[in-house]
Amino acid sequence: MIQTVFSVSLALWLLALAFSPGADAATVITGIVRAQSGHPVPGLALLEKGEIHNNRWDRGTLVDTSGRFRIELVEGGQYGLHVYASGYIYKPNAVKVETGKTLDIEVVLVPEPTRANDPVIKRVEFVPSEKSKGTATIIRMEVADPNGILGPQVLAFDAATGRTFAMTPPRWVWSLKSNYPDGVYQLEIDTSKAPTDPRDWHFVVADHKCNTTDILSFPHEPKPPQVIRP
Amino acid sequence: MILAIALVLIAMVSAEHAPAGAHAGSLAALVAKGEQWWKSSPDPRDPVACATCHYDPDETRGWAASFPKYRPLPPPEGRVMTLLQANVEAVQRHYGLPDAEQPALAITAYLTSRGSGMPVSPGIVAGQPVFESRLRVLAQSVRRGERLYTRRCRSCHDAGVLAPAALLFPHVVDGQVESLERFLERHRPDLPPLGWNAQSSADIIAFLKSKLAGRQVGGSP
């Protein structure tokens, strides 16, 4: 008798758990990215976990041609959402999303008026790591800034895994507010379990004044920046 | 009675002389100058101004009311700042001006005039998410400010009576516009200066503003 009561109670508890509101609800940030004129803008939406500008990069996603994006999160909390698009000044947004809820936001981007002050990605290459005997790939990206005010946002995004990475500067930098050096930035990717495909990788760089490179996607061949008329 | 004491204190504040870092002219002229700084970059090669990104007047209207607050700069630079201090940091970074105090004071006057009538709400911007971690840091700043106030100010000024005077800055003294931060720096020459751009100034102002929640920016004492 006791065993039956216990079994029924356990079954009811498990059922309640399974069907409780929000039990399986995803924690999501969705949004739409527009220019001031209202038209949708494609690009990248990349996340720092925790307080904005902490340089702890986490998830990310591509913003599609209709300006929409969706990032599924492991947990709710505070995030720094940075939206990038070629020809526009990037937009940082401090956001807070509750676990099991969807946060929907609209981001409006402003074109960089001259492009003359934007950092530039000169080249990107993927090379096997010699140290790790083929179990890692090193991504190298050469970056320059006309004003010498690069910031820590020298970023690589892997669309296959949805992960965002800050690349390692060519020399040690005193603080996140320091001007980061021009030169070759690196990122080592563990490929011991699965190879990485360069087609999945997208790159973007911003300086301390929010001037932003074009987003460099496969085949990673930089083009001269174009001014977008508002 | 309280109003009379407040008016006397404000008269004392106004009667002191030769403010360092002050801006010659009227407050209206400073607001106009601030609007100019806000809307146009001093560098013709880099025309991005404050208003390029912060173009929506509704976005900035609540800013003055929300300071002092935690400014999330890259660690370890993030700290509680006054509006003037935040503007100094932004002017230095975006306009590349080594001496950013005067432009920042003008922009502070402009944003304060834009926010006139908004209820004081330190740490919280209307329509923006509330971040508990930032409010905790602000609460620590208020506690430090209270201790500083007790040591430096309380023997002469009751905080509850004096606090509304904080809403009157930037203010004009002898044709010079002065920030609250500069006033606090020079007010007790017998004590080590607070430093107008230092955390200690932000702490005292955070303490005073914590007593003003709900009152109107630019309101009379």
Side-chain angles (χ1 to χ4, degrees):
Chain A
M1 176 64 181
I2 291 172
Q3 200 172 14
T4 307
V5 169
F6 176 76
S7 300
V8 169
S9 301
L10 184 65
L12 286 171
W13 180 73
L14 287 170
L15 273 172
L17 206 63
F19 291 103
S20 63
D24 289 331
T27 306
V28 178
I29 301 175
T30 63
I32 184 153
V33 182
R34 299 183 197 278
Q36 275 175 294
S37 58
H39 71 263
V41 179
L44 286 174
L46 307 180
L47 282 182
E48 289 168 321
K49 188 171 184 180
E51 185 60 90
I52 195 165
H53 302 310
N54 67 10
N55 206 37
R56 292 185 198 132
W57 296 92
D58 185 58
R59 310 294 301 169
T61 193
L62 292 163
V63 180
D64 67 21
T65 51
S66 63
R68 299 216 165 264
F69 69 89
R70 183 180 194 278
I71 307 174
E72 199 156 318
L73 304 168
V74 175
E75 58 183 345
Q78 194 174 338
Y79 291 87
L81 171 67
H82 300 250
V83 177
Y84 307 86
S86 297
Y88 292 84
I89 299 168
Y90 93 85
K91 175 90 171 176
N93 305 268
V95 298
K96 190 169 79 171
V97 56
E98 290 178 44
T99 300
K101 299 274 178 68
T102 294
L103 175 71
D104 189 38
I105 65 168
E106 181 177 10
V107 178
V108 178
L109 296 179
V110 176
E112 210 290 323
T114 67
R115 309 299 311 271
N117 297 287
D118 289 350
V120 176
I121 298 174
K122 292 186 167 177
R123 65 184 170 91
V124 170
E125 62 182 11
F126 292 71
V127 290
S129 167
E130 289 174 9
K131 275 193 304 187
S132 54
K133 296 175 184 168
T135 59
T137 294
I138 293 177
I139 303 174
R140 294 197 185 113
M141 178 163 73
E142 187 177 355
V143 180
D145 185 70
N147 300 313
I149 54 166
L150 275 180
Q153 290 181 60
V154 178
L155 302 176
F157 169 65
D158 180 6
T161 60
R163 290 290 311 278
T164 302
F165 304 88
M167 299 181 74
T168 306
R171 63 174 166 76
W172 188 71
V173 179
W174 176 251
S175 83
L176 293 174
K177 271 200 88 179
S178 301
N179 292 329
Y180 277 54
D182 291 1
V184 177
Y185 286 65
Q186 296 201 41
L187 176 67
E188 186 169 315
I189 303 296
D190 181 358
T191 48
S192 59
K193 292 181 182 133
T196 193
D197 186 344
R199 290 166 199 275
D200 292 324
W201 287 86
H202 306 263
F203 302 90
V204 71
V205 177
D207 71 13
H208 281 304
K209 293 167 76 172
C210 305
N211 296 315
T212 314
T213 62
D214 283 346
I215 294 167
L216 188 62
S217 301
F218 191 80
H220 307 131
E221 291 165 357
K223 296 185 176 65
Q226 304 289 314
V227 174
I228 292 173
R229 302 291 166 206
Chain B
M1 175 62 180
I2 288 173
L3 182 63
I5 294 171
L7 289 171
V8 168
L9 288 171
I10 290 157
M12 284 167 49
V13 163
S14 303
E16 297 192 21
H17 299 293
H23 183 281
S26 69
L27 190 55
L30 189 67
V31 169
K33 187 75 183 163
E35 184 172 9
Q36 201 179 329
W37 280 110
W38 182 261
K39 292 182 174 172
S40 54
S41 160
D43 182 356
R45 294 168 306 155
D46 188 357
V48 176
C50 310
T52 307
C53 296
H54 304 293
Y55 55 86
D56 181 0
D58 289 340
E59 178 198 353
T60 51
R61 190 151 186 265
W63 283 12
S66 69
F67 279 86
K69 69 178 178 189
Y70 178 78
R71 280 271 291 151
L73 298 170
E77 307 286 338
R79 68 172 175 91
V80 170
M81 287 182 172
T82 65
L83 179 58
L84 173 66
Q85 293 172 345
N87 286 335
V88 165
E89 190 280 331
V91 166
Q92 281 172 341
R93 183 155 48 92
H94 287 285
Y95 286 169
L97 299 176
D99 184 7
E101 186 182 0
Q102 292 304 319
L105 178 62
I107 290 170
T108 300
Y110 170 64
L111 291 175
T112 303
S113 77
R114 290 256 328 112
S116 181
M118 294 288 286
V120 172
S121 56
I124 297 170
V125 183
Q128 297 290 313
V130 175
F131 299 106
E132 289 77 11
S133 58
R134 296 183 189 177
L135 292 181
R136 282 195 294 275
V137 178
L138 178 60
Q140 291 165 4
S141 170
V142 169
R143 285 196 290 275
R144 286 194 304 271
E146 183 171 16
R147 288 196 292 273
L148 274 169
Y149 190 91
T150 301
R151 287 206 301 272
R152 300 177 70 99
C153 318
R154 198 176 68 180
S155 57
C156 296
H157 310 299
D158 176 84
V161 176
L162 183 72
L167 295 174
L168 301 179
F169 286 84
H171 76 160
V172 183
V173 188
D174 295 337
Q176 305 276 311
V177 184
E178 184 182 34
S179 65
L180 177 56
E181 291 82 349
R182 279 290 189 185
F183 169 78
L184 287 171
E185 184 181 64
R186 71 184 172 82
H187 184 56
R188 289 290 305 268
D190 55 317
L191 295 174
L194 285 172
W196 68 273
N197 201 13
Q199 179 69 70
S200 49
S201 288
D203 290 343
I204 285 196
I205 294 170
F207 168 62
L208 293 172
K209 290 281 182 78
S210 73
K211 298 189 166 301
L212 302 173
R215 295 185 71 136
Q216 290 184 342
V217 170
S220 56

